[in-house]
Amino acid sequence: MKQKKKIMIDLDVVTMAKWDKSHNGDIGREFLSRTEEFEIVTPFYLLGHLDKWKHITLKEQIENFYLKNSTTLLTNEDIDYEIGNLGIDDVKILLELQSKDVKEEDAFIVLVTSIFKLDYLVTFNRKHLRGKEKEINEILRKNGIKTIKIAGPEEA
């Protein structure tokens, strides 16, 4: 039996699939229809961003997707434990990523994707993530942690 790929799905993919009627929404919906092919790892940190959202119905749909489909939900303690295990300076790495115009929340999911050795970070975000994969991986490599693959939902 083929081992499932371990992935993290960025909020933008689920949001587009649940809300957007454009071509990107179609791509997102097609990808989400295949989630049983993957082991989905989700940090509660990602879901915490939904607390600020005003569109309650969309927020609930997104939360329900992650809660229903995630194989693993990571607590902050899980993440802190792995950081301690690896002996890395997470604050330094996050700041280095942000210095390359990777947004704070994106830097965090990059770090989690790396330290938990996930196969992909799936996102639509070209500007801050997909377009910066080389720079992101240089920082990860320099800090002695696993490089990552950043893929669009059409590639995963």
Side-chain angles (χ1 to χ4, degrees):
M1 188 165 115
K2 185 178 170 185
Q3 187 173 3
K4 292 181 178 185
K5 298 279 187 192
K6 290 184 180 180
I7 65 170
M8 183 181 308
I9 303 173
D10 196 359
L11 277 173
D12 66 346
V13 175
V14 181
T15 302
M16 293 294 275
K18 299 292 182 186
W19 175 71
D20 197 299
K21 304 299 181 216
S22 74
H23 179 64
N24 278 345
D26 293 339
I27 292 170
R29 283 183 288 283
E30 191 281 326
F31 173 72
L32 294 189
S33 75
R34 300 185 295 113
T35 54
E36 69 280 347
E37 298 174 16
F38 305 100
E39 286 187 38
I40 300 170
V41 177
T42 304
F44 276 108
Y45 171 89
L46 197 64
L47 300 179
H49 286 285
L50 297 172
D51 291 342
K52 304 169 196 153
W53 290 24
K54 290 182 173 45
H55 195 292
I56 301 301
T57 303
L58 179 59
K59 172 186 164 179
E60 288 174 350
Q61 290 175 349
I62 293 168
E63 282 177 340
N64 288 337
F65 168 81
Y66 282 110
L67 294 174
K68 178 181 173 193
N69 294 288
S70 294
T71 310
T72 305
L73 290 165
L74 298 171
T75 66
N76 290 342
E77 288 144 349
D78 296 329
I79 295 165
D80 289 343
Y81 178 82
E82 197 59 31
I83 288 167
N85 237 13
L86 293 169
I88 59 173
D89 185 344
D90 59 315
V91 174
K92 175 181 173 253
I93 296 168
L94 293 171
L95 289 173
E96 285 183 41
L97 290 167
Q98 290 172 51
S99 77
K100 299 295 183 185
D101 294 323
V102 176
K103 295 187 309 183
E104 182 180 350
E105 59 267 21
D106 292 336
F108 183 81
I109 62 174
V110 162
L111 180 64
V112 172
T113 300
S114 173
I115 66 175
F116 284 92
K117 299 175 176 59
L118 305 183
D119 295 297
Y120 297 103
L121 168 56
V122 181
T123 185
F124 275 117
N125 187 332
R126 290 186 190 280
K127 182 177 180 183
H128 299 286
L129 290 172
R130 289 168 66 186
K132 295 190 177 288
E133 185 173 355
K134 182 179 176 190
E135 293 167 276
I136 287 168
N137 281 324
E138 286 173 9
I139 291 168
L140 298 175
R141 190 177 304 108
K142 180 178 85 171
N143 284 280
I145 56 177
K146 182 186 180 301
T147 59
I148 66 170
K149 171 83 174 127
I150 303 172
E154 70 282 1
E155 302 168 301

